[in-house]
Amino acid sequence: EAGVAQSPRYKIIEKRQSVAFWCNPISGHATLYWYQQILGQGPKLLIQFQNNGVVDDSQLPKDRFSAERLKGVDSTLKIQPAKLEDSAVYLCASSQRTGIGYTFGSGTRLTVV
Amino acid sequence: TQLLEQSPQFLSIQEGENLTVYCNSSSVFSSLQWYRQEPGEGPVLLVTVVTGGEVKKLKRLTFQFGDARKDSSLHITAAQPGDTGLYLCAGARSGGGADGLTFGKGTHLIIQP
């Protein structure tokens, strides 16, 4: 079974620029999550999708962050404009159904300079 | 806000020793998961505990969920260098299909040969 694919692996941008991350979950997994992991901390949930609908985006900074999962498969997370404090690893995870463990991707490491 | 406190934050021990990592909260979770994360990779699920008082074993790792479902522990017997990594506990909320995890800050474990 292929894992959760994320790209790019690394990204360096200047503050106020825009950036987008892509995630392809495990085939058949209806639930998809984006997490932000700042250095030295545990991951923090940004948004949860069930198929192509948003279940929880209460911790997503909506003034600069947006995410979509148009066809219920792939997802993109965008930051516009980026701030220095957005430097982190952005992790995508998927699960077959709610209430069971996730499979995480390797993440995208974002550095904002 | 539900918080998970992990202790210790850092632990460095010799190969063959035993250790216990703790995960505590003032909130009740529907389930608690333990993950292991290596540098440059996403967290990998080790175990999910659901029932208060539940004990699960995974080779040399023993996981326990507190009776009140507010705390958990991970015990490693005869630690080996391959156990080195970041151990994260994460609690799941319940209700409404939103099951995003709340993670602790993690325990950085180093097993010296």
Side-chain angles (χ1 to χ4, degrees), chain B residues 56-104:
Chain B
K56 282 192 174 179
K57 291 193 174 184
L58 187 66
K59 296 184 181 177
R60 294 175 294 101
L61 278 60
T62 302
F63 304 86
Q64 187 161 6
F65 201 12
D67 291 340
R69 292 188 291 136
K70 292 182 179 181
D71 55 87
S72 181
S73 64
L74 157 60
H75 182 80
I76 301 179
T77 304
Q80 298 178 1
D83 296 327
T84 293
L86 175 66
Y87 289 81
L88 294 158
C89 68
R93 299 173 291 167
S94 62
D99 68 339
L101 296 175
T102 299
F103 279 85

Short mmCIF file of all heavy atoms in Angstrom, two decimals, chain B residues 56-104:
data_model
loop_
_atom_site.label_atom_id
_atom_site.label_comp_id
_atom_site.label_asym_id
_atom_site.label_seq_id
_atom_site.Cartn_x
_atom_site.Cartn_y
_atom_site.Cartn_z
N LYS B 56 -1.81 -2.38 26.50
CA LYS B 56 -1.44 -3.04 25.24
C LYS B 56 0.06 -3.21 25.20
O LYS B 56 0.81 -2.33 25.64
CB LYS B 56 -1.91 -2.21 24.04
CG LYS B 56 -3.38 -2.35 23.73
CD LYS B 56 -3.72 -1.75 22.37
CE LYS B 56 -5.17 -2.02 22.00
NZ LYS B 56 -5.52 -1.42 20.69
N LYS B 57 0.49 -4.35 24.64
CA LYS B 57 1.91 -4.62 24.52
C LYS B 57 2.29 -4.76 23.06
O LYS B 57 1.58 -5.39 22.26
CB LYS B 57 2.28 -5.89 25.29
CG LYS B 57 2.18 -5.73 26.79
CD LYS B 57 2.84 -6.88 27.53
CE LYS B 57 2.86 -6.61 29.03
NZ LYS B 57 3.57 -7.66 29.79
N LEU B 58 3.43 -4.17 22.73
CA LEU B 58 3.98 -4.25 21.39
C LEU B 58 5.46 -4.58 21.56
O LEU B 58 6.30 -3.70 21.74
CB LEU B 58 3.81 -2.90 20.67
CG LEU B 58 4.18 -2.81 19.21
CD1 LEU B 58 3.27 -3.67 18.37
CD2 LEU B 58 4.11 -1.36 18.73
N LYS B 59 5.76 -5.88 21.55
CA LYS B 59 7.12 -6.38 21.79
C LYS B 59 7.61 -5.85 23.14
O LYS B 59 7.07 -6.20 24.17
CB LYS B 59 8.05 -5.97 20.66
CG LYS B 59 7.65 -6.61 19.32
CD LYS B 59 8.63 -6.28 18.21
CE LYS B 59 8.18 -6.93 16.91
NZ LYS B 59 9.07 -6.58 15.77
N ARG B 60 8.62 -4.99 23.17
CA ARG B 60 9.17 -4.50 24.43
C ARG B 60 8.48 -3.23 24.93
O ARG B 60 8.87 -2.65 25.94
CB ARG B 60 10.66 -4.24 24.26
CG ARG B 60 11.50 -5.49 24.00
CD ARG B 60 12.96 -5.13 23.72
NE ARG B 60 13.08 -4.39 22.45
CZ ARG B 60 13.23 -3.09 22.38
NH1 ARG B 60 13.29 -2.35 23.47
NH2 ARG B 60 13.34 -2.51 21.20
N LEU B 61 7.45 -2.78 24.21
CA LEU B 61 6.74 -1.57 24.58
C LEU B 61 5.40 -1.93 25.23
O LEU B 61 4.66 -2.75 24.69
CB LEU B 61 6.49 -0.70 23.33
CG LEU B 61 7.60 0.20 22.83
CD1 LEU B 61 8.86 -0.58 22.47
CD2 LEU B 61 7.13 1.03 21.66
N THR B 62 5.10 -1.32 26.36
CA THR B 62 3.83 -1.52 27.05
C THR B 62 3.14 -0.17 27.20
O THR B 62 3.73 0.77 27.73
CB THR B 62 4.04 -2.16 28.43
OG1 THR B 62 4.71 -3.41 28.29
CG2 THR B 62 2.69 -2.39 29.13
N PHE B 63 1.91 -0.10 26.74
CA PHE B 63 1.13 1.13 26.78
C PHE B 63 -0.04 0.94 27.75
O PHE B 63 -0.68 -0.10 27.75
CB PHE B 63 0.58 1.46 25.40
CG PHE B 63 1.62 1.57 24.34
CD1 PHE B 63 2.05 0.43 23.65
CD2 PHE B 63 2.18 2.79 24.00
CE1 PHE B 63 3.02 0.51 22.67
CE2 PHE B 63 3.14 2.88 23.01
CZ PHE B 63 3.56 1.74 22.35
N GLN B 64 -0.31 1.96 28.54
CA GLN B 64 -1.42 1.90 29.47
C GLN B 64 -2.25 3.16 29.38
O GLN B 64 -1.70 4.26 29.28
CB GLN B 64 -0.90 1.72 30.90
CG GLN B 64 -2.00 1.49 31.92
CD GLN B 64 -1.49 0.86 33.20
OE1 GLN B 64 -0.28 0.70 33.38
NE2 GLN B 64 -2.39 0.49 34.08
N PHE B 65 -3.57 3.00 29.40
CA PHE B 65 -4.50 4.12 29.40
C PHE B 65 -5.07 4.21 30.81
O PHE B 65 -5.51 3.20 31.37
CB PHE B 65 -5.62 3.86 28.40
CG PHE B 65 -6.36 5.07 27.92
CD1 PHE B 65 -5.91 6.36 28.16
CD2 PHE B 65 -7.52 4.92 27.19
CE1 PHE B 65 -6.59 7.47 27.70
CE2 PHE B 65 -8.22 6.03 26.71
CZ PHE B 65 -7.75 7.30 26.97
N GLY B 66 -5.07 5.40 31.40
CA GLY B 66 -5.56 5.56 32.75
C GLY B 66 -7.03 5.22 32.88
O GLY B 66 -7.79 5.33 31.91
N ASP B 67 -7.43 4.84 34.07
CA ASP B 67 -8.82 4.45 34.32
C ASP B 67 -9.80 5.56 33.91
O ASP B 67 -10.89 5.29 33.40
CB ASP B 67 -9.03 4.10 35.79
CG ASP B 67 -8.33 2.80 36.18
OD1 ASP B 67 -8.01 2.02 35.25
OD2 ASP B 67 -8.08 2.59 37.37
N ALA B 68 -9.42 6.80 34.17
CA ALA B 68 -10.28 7.95 33.87
C ALA B 68 -10.11 8.47 32.45
O ALA B 68 -10.73 9.47 32.07
CB ALA B 68 -10.01 9.07 34.87
N ARG B 69 -9.27 7.81 31.66
CA ARG B 69 -9.00 8.19 30.26
C ARG B 69 -8.47 9.62 30.14
O ARG B 69 -8.78 10.35 29.20
CB ARG B 69 -10.24 7.98 29.39
CG ARG B 69 -10.59 6.51 29.22
CD ARG B 69 -11.70 6.31 28.20
NE ARG B 69 -12.96 6.82 28.68
CZ ARG B 69 -13.81 7.55 27.94
NH1 ARG B 69 -13.51 7.86 26.71
NH2 ARG B 69 -14.93 7.97 28.46
N LYS B 70 -7.66 10.01 31.13
CA LYS B 70 -7.03 11.33 31.08
C LYS B 70 -5.52 11.23 30.94
O LYS B 70 -4.86 12.24 30.67
CB LYS B 70 -7.34 12.11 32.36
CG LYS B 70 -8.77 12.52 32.55
CD LYS B 70 -8.92 13.32 33.83
CE LYS B 70 -10.36 13.76 34.04
NZ LYS B 70 -10.48 14.57 35.27
N ASP B 71 -4.97 10.05 31.15
CA ASP B 71 -3.52 9.94 31.12
C ASP B 71 -3.11 8.59 30.55
O ASP B 71 -3.91 7.65 30.48
CB ASP B 71 -2.94 10.11 32.52
CG ASP B 71 -3.56 9.14 33.51
OD1 ASP B 71 -3.05 8.01 33.63
OD2 ASP B 71 -4.57 9.51 34.13
N SER B 72 -1.86 8.52 30.14
CA SER B 72 -1.34 7.29 29.56
C SER B 72 0.15 7.20 29.84
O SER B 72 0.80 8.21 30.16
CB SER B 72 -1.59 7.27 28.06
OG SER B 72 -1.13 6.07 27.47
N SER B 73 0.68 6.00 29.74
CA SER B 73 2.12 5.82 29.90
C SER B 73 2.63 4.84 28.86
O SER B 73 1.89 3.98 28.37
CB SER B 73 2.45 5.34 31.31
OG SER B 73 1.90 4.05 31.53
N LEU B 74 3.90 5.02 28.55
CA LEU B 74 4.61 4.12 27.63
C LEU B 74 5.84 3.62 28.37
O LEU B 74 6.67 4.43 28.81
CB LEU B 74 5.02 4.89 26.36
CG LEU B 74 6.19 4.33 25.54
CD1 LEU B 74 5.90 2.92 25.04
CD2 LEU B 74 6.51 5.25 24.38
N HIS B 75 5.94 2.32 28.52
CA HIS B 75 7.08 1.72 29.20
C HIS B 75 7.88 0.90 28.19
O HIS B 75 7.29 0.09 27.45
CB HIS B 75 6.60 0.83 30.36
CG HIS B 75 7.72 0.21 31.13
ND1 HIS B 75 8.44 0.90 32.09
CD2 HIS B 75 8.26 -1.03 31.06
CE1 HIS B 75 9.36 0.11 32.60
NE2 HIS B 75 9.28 -1.06 32.00
N ILE B 76 9.17 1.13 28.14
CA ILE B 76 10.05 0.36 27.26
C ILE B 76 10.98 -0.48 28.13
O ILE B 76 11.66 0.06 29.02
CB ILE B 76 10.86 1.26 26.32
CG1 ILE B 76 9.92 2.10 25.45
CG2 ILE B 76 11.78 0.40 25.44
CD1 ILE B 76 10.63 3.04 24.49
N THR B 77 10.99 -1.76 27.87
CA THR B 77 11.86 -2.68 28.59
C THR B 77 13.11 -2.97 27.77
O THR B 77 13.02 -3.17 26.56
CB THR B 77 11.12 -4.00 28.86
OG1 THR B 77 9.91 -3.72 29.57
CG2 THR B 77 11.96 -4.97 29.66
N ALA B 78 14.24 -2.95 28.44
CA ALA B 78 15.52 -3.28 27.78
C ALA B 78 15.69 -2.46 26.50
O ALA B 78 15.77 -3.02 25.40
CB ALA B 78 15.61 -4.77 27.50
N ALA B 79 15.74 -1.14 26.67
CA ALA B 79 15.80 -0.24 25.51
C ALA B 79 17.01 -0.54 24.62
O ALA B 79 18.08 -0.93 25.09
CB ALA B 79 15.88 1.21 26.00
N GLN B 80 16.79 -0.35 23.31
CA GLN B 80 17.83 -0.58 22.32
C GLN B 80 18.06 0.70 21.52
O GLN B 80 17.16 1.54 21.42
CB GLN B 80 17.41 -1.72 21.39
CG GLN B 80 17.21 -3.04 22.12
CD GLN B 80 16.73 -4.15 21.20
OE1 GLN B 80 16.56 -3.95 20.00
NE2 GLN B 80 16.52 -5.32 21.77
N PRO B 81 19.24 0.86 20.92
CA PRO B 81 19.50 2.08 20.13
C PRO B 81 18.46 2.35 19.06
O PRO B 81 18.16 3.51 18.76
CB PRO B 81 20.88 1.80 19.53
CG PRO B 81 21.53 0.90 20.52
CD PRO B 81 20.44 0.02 21.05
N GLY B 82 17.85 1.32 18.54
CA GLY B 82 16.79 1.49 17.53
C GLY B 82 15.53 2.12 18.07
O GLY B 82 14.66 2.53 17.30
N ASP B 83 15.41 2.21 19.39
CA ASP B 83 14.25 2.87 20.01
C ASP B 83 14.39 4.38 20.03
O ASP B 83 13.44 5.10 20.37
CB ASP B 83 14.05 2.38 21.45
CG ASP B 83 13.73 0.90 21.53
OD1 ASP B 83 13.07 0.38 20.60
OD2 ASP B 83 14.13 0.25 22.52
N THR B 84 15.56 4.87 19.67
CA THR B 84 15.81 6.32 19.66
C THR B 84 14.82 7.02 18.75
O THR B 84 14.54 6.57 17.65
CB THR B 84 17.25 6.61 19.21
OG1 THR B 84 18.16 6.11 20.20
CG2 THR B 84 17.49 8.10 19.02
N GLY B 85 14.26 8.14 19.25
CA GLY B 85 13.30 8.90 18.44
C GLY B 85 12.48 9.83 19.31
O GLY B 85 12.68 9.92 20.51
N LEU B 86 11.54 10.49 18.66
CA LEU B 86 10.61 11.38 19.35
C LEU B 86 9.29 10.62 19.55
O LEU B 86 8.68 10.17 18.58
CB LEU B 86 10.37 12.65 18.52
CG LEU B 86 9.31 13.63 19.06
CD1 LEU B 86 9.77 14.23 20.39
CD2 LEU B 86 9.04 14.73 18.04
N TYR B 87 8.87 10.47 20.78
CA TYR B 87 7.63 9.76 21.10
C TYR B 87 6.55 10.80 21.43
O TYR B 87 6.73 11.64 22.30
CB TYR B 87 7.84 8.79 22.27
CG TYR B 87 8.67 7.60 21.85
CD1 TYR B 87 10.06 7.69 21.79
CD2 TYR B 87 8.08 6.41 21.47
CE1 TYR B 87 10.83 6.63 21.38
CE2 TYR B 87 8.83 5.32 21.05
CZ TYR B 87 10.22 5.44 21.00
OH TYR B 87 10.97 4.38 20.58
N LEU B 88 5.45 10.70 20.72
CA LEU B 88 4.35 11.66 20.85
C LEU B 88 3.10 10.94 21.31
O LEU B 88 2.75 9.89 20.76
CB LEU B 88 4.06 12.32 19.49
CG LEU B 88 5.14 13.22 18.91
CD1 LEU B 88 4.97 13.35 17.40
CD2 LEU B 88 5.12 14.60 19.56
N CYS B 89 2.42 11.52 22.29
CA CYS B 89 1.09 11.01 22.62
C CYS B 89 0.08 12.00 22.03
O CYS B 89 0.37 13.19 21.88
CB CYS B 89 0.89 10.84 24.11
SG CYS B 89 0.83 12.36 25.07
N ALA B 90 -1.08 11.49 21.68
CA ALA B 90 -2.09 12.32 21.05
C ALA B 90 -3.47 11.84 21.48
O ALA B 90 -3.75 10.64 21.45
CB ALA B 90 -1.96 12.25 19.53
N GLY B 91 -4.30 12.78 21.87
CA GLY B 91 -5.65 12.44 22.30
C GLY B 91 -6.67 12.82 21.25
O GLY B 91 -6.53 13.86 20.59
N ALA B 92 -7.66 11.96 21.10
CA ALA B 92 -8.72 12.21 20.13
C ALA B 92 -9.97 12.68 20.84
O ALA B 92 -10.37 12.12 21.86
CB ALA B 92 -9.01 10.94 19.33
N ARG B 93 -10.59 13.73 20.28
CA ARG B 93 -11.88 14.16 20.77
C ARG B 93 -12.93 13.24 20.18
O ARG B 93 -12.63 12.40 19.34
CB ARG B 93 -12.16 15.59 20.33
CG ARG B 93 -11.17 16.60 20.86
CD ARG B 93 -11.41 17.96 20.25
NE ARG B 93 -11.08 17.98 18.84
CZ ARG B 93 -11.43 18.95 18.01
NH1 ARG B 93 -12.16 19.94 18.44
NH2 ARG B 93 -11.07 18.92 16.74
N SER B 94 -14.14 13.42 20.53
CA SER B 94 -15.20 12.61 19.94
C SER B 94 -16.40 13.48 19.65
O SER B 94 -16.58 14.53 20.26
CB SER B 94 -15.60 11.48 20.89
OG SER B 94 -16.12 12.00 22.10
N GLY B 95 -17.19 13.05 18.70
CA GLY B 95 -18.42 13.74 18.41
C GLY B 95 -18.38 14.54 17.12
O GLY B 95 -17.41 15.24 16.85
N GLY B 96 -19.39 14.43 16.34
CA GLY B 96 -19.54 15.26 15.15
C GLY B 96 -18.61 14.92 14.02
O GLY B 96 -18.50 15.68 13.06
N GLY B 97 -17.91 13.80 14.13
CA GLY B 97 -17.01 13.41 13.05
C GLY B 97 -15.67 14.10 13.08
O GLY B 97 -14.76 13.75 12.33
N ALA B 98 -15.52 15.14 13.93
CA ALA B 98 -14.25 15.83 14.03
C ALA B 98 -13.37 15.09 15.02
O ALA B 98 -13.64 15.08 16.22
CB ALA B 98 -14.46 17.26 14.50
N ASP B 99 -12.37 14.44 14.52
CA ASP B 99 -11.52 13.63 15.41
C ASP B 99 -10.06 14.03 15.31
O ASP B 99 -9.17 13.21 15.47
CB ASP B 99 -11.68 12.14 15.09
CG ASP B 99 -11.09 11.78 13.73
OD1 ASP B 99 -10.94 12.68 12.88
OD2 ASP B 99 -10.78 10.59 13.52
N GLY B 100 -9.83 15.31 15.03
CA GLY B 100 -8.45 15.78 14.98
C GLY B 100 -7.76 15.56 16.30
O GLY B 100 -8.37 15.69 17.37
N LEU B 101 -6.50 15.21 16.26
CA LEU B 101 -5.75 14.87 17.45
C LEU B 101 -5.14 16.10 18.10
O LEU B 101 -4.71 17.04 17.42
CB LEU B 101 -4.64 13.89 17.10
CG LEU B 101 -5.08 12.52 16.60
CD1 LEU B 101 -3.87 11.71 16.18
CD2 LEU B 101 -5.86 11.78 17.67
N THR B 102 -5.08 16.05 19.43
CA THR B 102 -4.31 17.02 20.21
C THR B 102 -3.03 16.32 20.64
O THR B 102 -3.09 15.31 21.35
CB THR B 102 -5.09 17.48 21.44
OG1 THR B 102 -6.29 18.12 21.02
CG2 THR B 102 -4.26 18.45 22.27
N PHE B 103 -1.89 16.83 20.21
CA PHE B 103 -0.62 16.20 20.49
C PHE B 103 0.06 16.84 21.69
O PHE B 103 -0.06 18.05 21.93
CB PHE B 103 0.33 16.33 19.30
CG PHE B 103 0.09 15.34 18.20
CD1 PHE B 103 -0.84 15.57 17.22
CD2 PHE B 103 0.84 14.17 18.14
CE1 PHE B 103 -1.05 14.66 16.20
CE2 PHE B 103 0.64 13.25 17.13
CZ PHE B 103 -0.31 13.50 16.16
N GLY B 104 0.83 16.03 22.42
CA GLY B 104 1.78 16.56 23.39
C GLY B 104 3.02 17.06 22.66
O GLY B 104 3.15 16.89 21.45
#
